[in-house]
């Protein structure tokens, strides 16, 4: 893929087609990261060995992404981490129903980004889509805070252990509560696929220095946003469990308002990608044109394919993509058969290659569904397990959802070690600026998911054995075991996420065509959405099937009578089968060519330069 020479070729302008808020070519010195650094210079520690220029570049995305994402994640996980306990203790729902309500909402929150990506790429652009969606998000948070605060919007309190004897929420109460939740889901649809993409847009692919920082962007983006998650899993869930749900939801609502204001304050300094039209329409045209010419032979010489002049792409600040040999059937769309230029019968090579790239990623997308299903257990069954165990540390009582903080801590630790240690060591051997390929990193994460569910199954088997030995099976009373026996499965989940989730986000962004970056980012959220829906389906199905013919069942309201150990073992097997599928599809995947030669420049520098190490001093040239 190459970028054509445009009218703005000076080094003082960005070379990737980005513009400022007024639609004019973006000046490198007055847009992007370093100009916004003054807002958040103290938010992240830049190593003393880094040159000031590089430190300022880090501040680009820290200001824009980190500030917003810390508060947005605080709001989102402040709800999702403890939602199952609100549904069971306040709305009096059973284990299966409450778990499915959580995963259905979370799944919707991760599916709506497809709509947000479409609107951003086709009509409003990433910035304005994000601003409008943030407003919707904030309104949903305000309504949710009211729903958990006003007595008239909640059913009467009930302290009976058998929730089937408690009064259920009225239709109005459920309508307001779920209306607020799904308003949030609509808001997240416009924020999730665009905030990280806006951040990545601040780095010019045609500038080697900025390209270098883009390689670490997603690692540090994940690092920053999980500070918000950590706060939600510790402080907010404690407030919700011990002080009140009103304050527990009001705080993240206020934080979200502050984060939106901070984001807007940096508006003059952002770089923007111009909307390039509907990605779905462009892809549909290619597919329709290919099938309409199914019997047309494909020329051996790619020069015979239909393509626009380079000047046409230069005017729009976009890229022309050369033909590739994969998915050859789609090349029929750019074969000229008549003088017509009907876009549904004749497409350019670039359009065809864009469609190829998005379709090529679908098998990889499918291979991430099962790991996403495993992640759904953290905020549902893992938390429910915690309610059955001894949560006291002295006089302090640990909220069950707080164990989710160890997922975050583990993830943050692994990201730092991966980015600062592993990559720097391994790339000396692989000559790859990323250290290892993105699919290799994802594969490691999938293997770790097998280990997560294996450990969870063994731990649950031990918990049930202790419950039987102490005669608390039928009563559902607390099992005399510390809640910390669940730590290994939470820590391993964070480790798996550090490999799979970070690589997944970077993979779908990096491999998406330049005009479809928002849709590519939405792919990574779709996996989480589908994974949560699969979790709902599996939980309902397994609960129903295992109770047939008079059997007790694997998942009951009383977890001491349940068999979550069997359920987790089933998940371990499912992950193993998914690993085989992933290895198969990744073997045949062909990586997208870079939009510029900057990645090759970086690889060559890493190969040729010698790092001089003396008294822990690194040569600044490196």
């Amino acid at each position: 893929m190459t970028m054509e020479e445009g009218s703005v070729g000076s080094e003082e302008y960005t070379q990737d087609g980005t513009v400022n808020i007024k639609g004019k070519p973006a000046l490198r010195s007055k847009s992007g990261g370093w100009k916004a650094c003054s807002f958040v210079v103290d938010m992240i520690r830049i190593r003393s060995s880094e040159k000031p220029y590089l430190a300022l570049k880090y501040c680009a995305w820290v200001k824009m992404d980190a500030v917003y994402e810390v508060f947005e994640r605080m709001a989102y996980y402040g709800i999702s981490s403890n939602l199952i306990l609100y549904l069971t203790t306040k709305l009096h729902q059973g284990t299966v129903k409450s778990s499915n309500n959580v995963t259905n909402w979370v799944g919707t929150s991760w599916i709506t980004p497809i709509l947000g990506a479409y609107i951003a790429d086709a009509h409003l652009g990433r910035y304005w889509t994000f601003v409008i969606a943030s407003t919707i998000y904030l309104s949903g948070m305000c309504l949710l805070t009211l729903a958990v605060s006003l007595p008239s919007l909640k059913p009467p309190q009930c302290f009976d252990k058998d929730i089937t004897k408690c009064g259920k929420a009225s239709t109005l109460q459920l309508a307001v509560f779920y209306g607020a939740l799904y308003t949030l889901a609509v808001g997240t649809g416009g924020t999730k696929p665009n905030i990280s993409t806006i951040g990545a847009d601040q780095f010019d692919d045609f500038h080697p220095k900025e390209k270098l920082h883009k390689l670490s962007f997603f690692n540090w983006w994940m690092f920053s946003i999980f500070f918000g998650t950590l706060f939600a899993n510790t402080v907010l869930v404690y407030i919700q469990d011990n002080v009140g749900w009103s304050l527990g939801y009001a705080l993240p609502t206020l934080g979200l308002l502050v984060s939106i204001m901070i984001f807007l304050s940096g508006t003059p300094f952002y770089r923007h990608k111009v909307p390039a039209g509907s990605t779905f329409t462009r892809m549909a045209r290619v597919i329709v044109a290919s099938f309409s010419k199914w019997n047309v032979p494909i020329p051996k010489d790619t020069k015979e394919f239909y393509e626009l002049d380079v000047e046409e792409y230069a005017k729009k600040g976009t890229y022309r993509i050369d033909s590739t040999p994969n998915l050859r059937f789609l090349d029929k769309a750019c074969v000229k058969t008549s003088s017509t230029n009907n876009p549904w019968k004749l497409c350019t090579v670039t359009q065809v290659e864009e469609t190829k790239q998005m379709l090529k990623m679908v098998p990889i997308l499918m291979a991430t569904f099962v790991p996403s299903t495993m992640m759904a257990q953290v905020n549902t069954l893992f938390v429910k397990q915690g309610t059955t165990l001894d949560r006291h540390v002295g006089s302090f009582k640990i909220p069950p959802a707080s164990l989710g903080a160890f997922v975050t801590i583990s993830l943050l630790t692994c990201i730092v070690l991966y980015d600062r240690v592993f990559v720097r060591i391994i790339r000396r051997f692989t000559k790859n600026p990323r250290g290892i390929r993105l699919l290799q990193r994802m594969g490691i994460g999938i293997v770790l998911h097998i280990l997560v569910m294996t450990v969870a199954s063994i731990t649950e088997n031990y918990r049930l054995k202790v419950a039987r030995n102490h005669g608390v099976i039928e009563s559902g009373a607390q099992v005399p075991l510390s809640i910390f026996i669940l730590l290994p499965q939470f820590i391993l989940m964070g480790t798996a996420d550090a490999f799979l989730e970070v690589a997944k986000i970077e993979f779908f962004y990096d491999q998406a065509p330049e005009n479809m970056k928002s849709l590519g980012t939405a792919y990574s959220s779709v996996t989480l959405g589908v994974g949560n829906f699969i979790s709902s389906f599996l939980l309902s199905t397994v609960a129903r099937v295992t109770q047939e013919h008079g059997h007790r069942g694997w998942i009951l309201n009383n977890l001491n009578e349940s068999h979550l150990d069997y359920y987790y073992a089933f998940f371990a097997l499912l992950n193993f089968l998914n690993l085989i599928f992933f290895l198969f599809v990744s073997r045949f995947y062909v990586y997208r060519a870079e939009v510029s030669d900057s990645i090759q420049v970086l690889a060559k520098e890493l190969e040729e330069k010698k790092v001089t190490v003396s008294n822990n001093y690194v040569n600044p040239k490196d």
Side-chain angles (χ1 to χ4, degrees):
M1 185 184 297
T2 59
M3 177 182 177
E4 310 303 341
E5 295 296 330
S7 58
V8 181
S10 172
E11 180 64 19
E12 63 179 309
Y13 292 95
T14 57
Q15 301 298 301
D16 59 356
T18 52
V19 298
N20 60 24
I21 191 65
K22 297 180 180 180
K24 297 180 179 179
L27 278 169
R28 192 181 306 281
S29 61
K30 294 186 177 181
S31 65
W34 69 270
K35 195 68 177 178
C37 186
S38 59
F39 292 93
V40 288
V41 71
D42 294 326
M43 285 196 60
I44 189 169
R45 181 177 298 174
I46 304 297
R47 297 183 303 114
S48 58
S49 61
E50 297 279 11
K51 292 184 278 188
Y53 170 81
L54 303 186
L56 289 169
K57 284 296 178 184
Y58 271 117
C59 290
W61 63 268
V62 173
K63 189 268 168 188
M64 181 178 55
D65 274 9
V67 176
Y68 178 84
E69 284 294 335
V70 165
F71 285 106
E72 192 277 333
R73 292 295 84 186
M74 182 178 76
Y76 177 78
Y77 284 102
I79 297 169
S80 63
S81 297
N82 223 15
L83 182 57
I84 190 170
L85 293 189
Y86 186 85
L87 294 177
T88 54
T89 61
K90 300 299 180 181
L91 298 187
H92 313 142
Q93 297 178 357
T95 299
V96 173
K97 184 175 182 180
S98 60
S99 296
N100 284 348
N101 280 333
V102 171
T103 49
N104 287 337
W105 173 69
V106 172
T108 303
S109 298
W110 288 108
I111 287 291
T112 52
I114 285 288
L115 177 61
Y118 164 75
I119 293 173
D121 284 344
H123 302 290
L124 300 180
R126 292 158 193 165
Y127 174 84
W128 288 112
T129 302
F130 175 82
V131 170
I132 294 171
S134 294
T135 304
I136 297 173
Y137 198 151
L138 182 61
S139 65
M141 285 296 299
C142 293
L143 181 59
L144 187 63
T145 303
L146 289 176
V148 301
S149 302
L150 300 179
S152 60
L153 296 179
K154 299 181 291 182
Q157 280 191 314
C158 178
F159 300 99
D160 197 315
K161 282 193 173 182
D162 186 357
I163 60 172
T164 60
K165 298 178 181 179
C166 296
K168 304 300 180 183
S170 68
T171 302
L172 174 62
Q173 291 167 343
L174 291 176
V176 173
F177 184 78
Y178 286 114
L181 282 181
Y182 283 91
T183 298
L184 285 173
V186 173
T188 57
T191 59
K192 285 183 188 298
N194 291 305
I195 184 62
S196 61
T197 313
I198 294 172
D201 287 345
Q202 307 310 302
F203 301 91
D204 188 350
D205 275 327
F206 293 88
H207 193 280
K209 294 286 187 183
E210 293 190 20
K211 179 69 174 182
L212 177 62
H213 288 290
K214 195 170 186 176
L215 298 182
S216 292
F217 166 73
F218 288 100
N219 284 334
W220 291 101
W221 176 72
M222 288 289 286
F223 183 91
S224 67
I225 68 173
F226 274 94
F227 273 116
T229 308
L230 184 62
F231 183 85
N233 287 332
T234 52
V235 178
L236 285 184
V237 296
Y238 178 80
I239 291 174
Q240 291 165 0
D241 282 7
N242 298 278
V243 180
W245 292 90
S246 299
L247 182 61
Y249 282 0
L251 286 177
T253 301
L254 179 61
L256 184 64
L257 174 62
V258 172
S259 69
I260 294 173
M261 294 173 64
I262 292 176
F263 176 86
L264 293 175
S265 68
T267 296
F269 312 118
Y270 300 151
R271 298 174 185 172
H272 306 267
K273 289 291 182 71
V274 178
S278 170
T279 56
F280 298 110
T281 300
R282 294 205 303 276
M283 293 173 63
R285 285 172 175 170
V286 171
I287 295 172
V288 169
S290 299
F291 279 96
S292 67
K293 294 186 285 187
W294 64 272
N295 60 344
V296 174
I298 301 175
K300 293 183 179 180
D301 187 357
T302 58
K303 293 181 180 179
E304 296 183 31
F305 291 153
Y306 174 67
E307 181 58 288
L308 300 177
D309 294 333
V310 294
E311 291 79 8
E312 294 296 322
Y313 291 98
K315 291 176 183 177
K316 300 177 182 179
T318 55
Y319 311 89
R320 192 172 76 172
I321 311 175
D322 296 330
S323 180
T324 59
N326 53 286
L327 298 178
R328 291 284 290 171
F329 177 80
L330 295 178
D331 287 338
K332 294 177 181 291
C334 55
V335 176
K336 291 177 284 188
T337 57
S338 64
S339 59
T340 180
N341 285 330
N342 186 331
W344 291 94
K345 294 183 178 180
L346 182 63
C347 304
T348 65
V349 172
T350 296
Q351 288 176 301
V352 170
E353 291 303 317
E354 288 176 340
T355 303
K356 284 182 181 181
Q357 195 57 39
M358 297 307 296
L359 293 178
K360 277 168 50 183
M361 292 191 290
V362 170
I364 303 297
L365 178 76
M366 296 172 61
T368 61
F369 291 164
V370 171
S372 296
T373 303
M374 304 306 107
M375 292 176 61
Q377 311 314 307
V378 172
N379 293 333
T380 53
L381 295 181
F382 282 14
V383 173
K384 286 289 290 183
Q385 280 180 283
T387 63
T388 69
L389 298 167
D390 180 10
R391 295 182 277 135
H392 288 90
V393 177
S395 59
F396 181 77
K397 194 174 184 180
I398 301 172
S402 287
L403 287 190
F406 288 94
V407 175
T408 304
I409 293 170
S410 173
L411 184 145
L412 296 179
T413 302
C414 289
I415 285 178
V416 173
L417 292 176
Y418 183 89
D419 193 73
R420 293 303 187 189
V421 179
F422 177 79
V423 170
R424 296 188 176 203
I425 293 174
I426 200 67
R427 70 186 180 188
R428 295 178 183 176
F429 303 99
T430 63
K431 310 304 179 185
N432 186 335
R434 287 190 175 94
I436 58 177
R437 292 192 171 196
L438 293 173
L439 289 178
Q440 291 173 326
R441 185 174 179 179
M442 290 170 66
I444 294 172
I446 292 175
V447 171
L448 288 173
H449 272 287
I450 300 175
L451 183 60
V452 171
M453 301 318 297
T454 301
V455 169
S457 178
I458 294 172
T459 301
E460 177 63 8
N461 182 269
Y462 176 67
R463 189 191 71 83
L464 292 175
K465 185 181 297 184
V466 173
R468 284 193 297 270
N469 292 339
H470 287 80
V472 294
I473 294 292
E474 293 185 0
S475 66
Q478 186 181 89
V479 180
L481 282 174
S482 170
I483 192 174
F484 290 114
I485 68 164
L486 300 179
L487 271 187
Q489 63 202 57
F490 281 91
I491 292 173
L492 284 171
M493 185 66 79
T495 305
D497 288 352
F499 282 90
L500 179 58
E501 290 307 302
V502 178
K504 183 177 71 177
I505 293 172
E506 184 175 357
F507 174 81
F508 289 123
Y509 174 87
D510 181 79
Q511 294 297 294
E514 293 305 304
N515 293 328
M516 298 183 179
K517 290 298 186 185
S518 292
L519 180 58
T521 304
Y523 267 23
S524 64
S525 67
V526 166
T527 67
L528 293 172
V530 173
N532 275 273
F533 289 131
I534 292 175
S535 178
S536 296
F537 170 77
L538 290 177
L539 187 63
S540 298
T541 302
V542 171
R544 184 185 69 255
V545 171
T546 56
Q547 290 185 70
E548 291 179 350
H549 308 298
H551 291 92
R552 180 170 289 183
W554 287 4
I555 303 108
L556 306 171
N557 290 338
N558 180 359
L559 290 193
N560 291 349
E561 290 185 306
S562 303
H563 265 298
L564 288 184
D565 53 339
Y566 296 169
Y567 191 55
Y568 291 159
F570 165 68
F571 274 162
L573 176 61
L574 196 61
N575 274 289
F576 177 74
L577 296 176
N578 183 68
L579 174 63
I580 296 174
F581 173 69
F582 174 80
L583 293 175
F584 176 77
V585 297
S586 62
R587 180 180 180 182
F588 297 100
Y589 185 81
V590 179
Y591 284 86
R592 180 182 72 93
E594 293 287 337
V595 298
S596 73
D597 64 350
S598 60
I599 193 71
Q600 286 80 8
V601 171
L602 290 173
K604 186 176 180 180
E605 288 180 356
L606 290 170
E607 184 176 357
E608 294 179 349
K609 287 186 178 181
K610 300 297 182 181
V611 179
T612 304
V613 181
S614 178
N615 297 324
N616 296 322
Y617 172 73
V618 181
N619 191 329
K621 292 190 299 180
D622 298 324

